[in-house]
Every structure is written in C-alpha cells, then in structure tokens.
Amino acid sequence: MSSRECRIIEFPKVLDERGNLSFFQDEDQIPFSIARTYWIYDVPGGEMRGSHAYKTLQEVIVALSGSFDVVLHDGDKEMKFQLNRSYYGLYVPNMIWRRLENFSTNSLALVVADKVYDEQEYIRDFEEFQALRK
Ligand code: TYD
C-alpha cells in the first residue's frame, strides 16, 4: 500500500441476495488516513469539475452511482479512467492534475482525502503545475 502511483483500488464486495455491500476502512483499502469526505452530485450534462492539482493532498475517488471519467495528467502524459462501479476507487497522489468529466445523469462522485479543505493546497494554473513538476 505504499505505492504513490495512480491506480484503481478494488474494495471488498459482500454479495448478498438482499443487496450487495462494499466498504473501505483505514488503512486496509485506502493508503492514507482519511481526514475529509465530500461528494459531487447534480452535475449538469457536459459540465466538468476539478481541473487542478494538489501540492501534498492524496485522494481516492469513487463513482458511488452512475459513471464519470477522471482525467489525470502527470505533467508529461494524460491518463483517463472511467469509473462506473461503486466497488472501485481511483487513488490519486499529490502533484497530479485531475479533472472529472462526462458525468452520467444522477451520478454521484465520492472523494476521500488525507487533508481537510485548504485553498493553499490547490494549484489551479496548469502551466504553474507543469513548471513545478519539472
Ligand atoms: P473545488 O475543490 O474548487 O471544486 P472543483 O474541484 O470540483 O472545481 O471546490 C469548490 C468550492 O467548494 C471551493 O470554493 C470551496 C468549497 N469546498 C469546501 O468548502 N470544502 C471542500 O471539501 C471542497 C472540496 C470544496
């Protein structure tokens, strides 16, 4: 669990005829201690969220419902992950440019992060991000 690479994490699935259950807990599935949870919902068609990087913050993004794409950029190349199952999470380390787009109707994006909200964590200028990556 020490890798700082962008990657998909598969959560446990407890299959049940009454309905399935998945979970994550510190620090078995999530490679950090969770300080904050937020969610993005009611996204109008064609809208995009994010489009920034974090200086030190790490996060895991889950499509709890519906689907959306997470587009990541490491300063060199772009990687796109389509999230559409609630038992997969995408781990995004710090210093990765990331945006969420292509939200389906009624999609619900859950994000857990290792830090509380702090505007100072954000890099909102892509050129500044690329310069810092070098
Ligand atoms: P922001 O992270 O900029 O959203 P996105 O990356 O999707 O464009 O957050 C939008 C606003 O919401 C920001 O001005 C501050 C507020 N906010 C909080 O107060 N707490 C939070 O945990 C988050 C994620 C945002």
Side-chain angles (χ1 to χ4, degrees):
M1 287 300 259
S2 61
S3 165
R4 303 272 295 168
E5 296 283 306
C6 303
R7 64 185 185 276
I8 293 287
I9 298 169
E10 184 166 1
F11 303 130
K13 278 181 275 182
V14 187
L15 303 180
D16 193 306
E17 288 172 357
R18 301 170 299 157
N20 300 331
L21 181 154
S22 284
F23 63 89
F24 49 74
Q25 61 186 13
D26 294 4
E27 295 191 3
D28 299 338
Q29 286 79 30
I30 304 288
F32 52 78
S33 195
I34 297 166
R36 177 166 52 116
T37 304
Y38 64 95
W39 47 100
I40 298 170
Y41 54 96
D42 291 349
V43 180
E47 279 294 350
M48 179 182 84
R49 297 295 314 230
S51 216
H52 51 68
Y54 296 110
K55 291 172 189 163
T56 67
L57 179 149
Q58 316 168 64
E59 63 186 351
V60 170
I61 305 172
V62 186
L64 276 189
S65 180
S67 67
F68 52 85
D69 295 338
V70 186
V71 183
L72 304 179
H73 202 296
D74 64 4
D76 187 32
K77 60 184 185 310
E78 196 171 88
M79 302 154 275
K80 185 186 281 194
F81 293 85
Q82 190 190 39
L83 298 183
N84 56 15
R85 293 282 181 262
S86 63
Y87 49 83
Y88 287 127
L90 176 63
Y91 170 70
V92 184
N94 65 310
M95 289 305 290
I96 295 286
W97 191 267
R98 51 72 132 185
R99 67 175 193 269
L100 282 61
E101 63 185 25
N102 198 24
F103 287 87
S104 69
T105 306
N106 288 332
S107 55
L108 173 59
L110 181 80
V111 184
V112 294
D114 70 342
K115 296 198 168 52
V116 298
Y117 177 76
D118 178 6
E119 181 60 32
Q120 298 303 315
E121 264 291 325
Y122 285 72
I123 304 166
R124 294 191 182 274
D125 182 275
F126 188 69
E127 285 180 7
E128 182 190 348
F129 164 73
Q130 283 197 301
L132 287 168
R133 284 286 313 202
K134 290 203 175 95

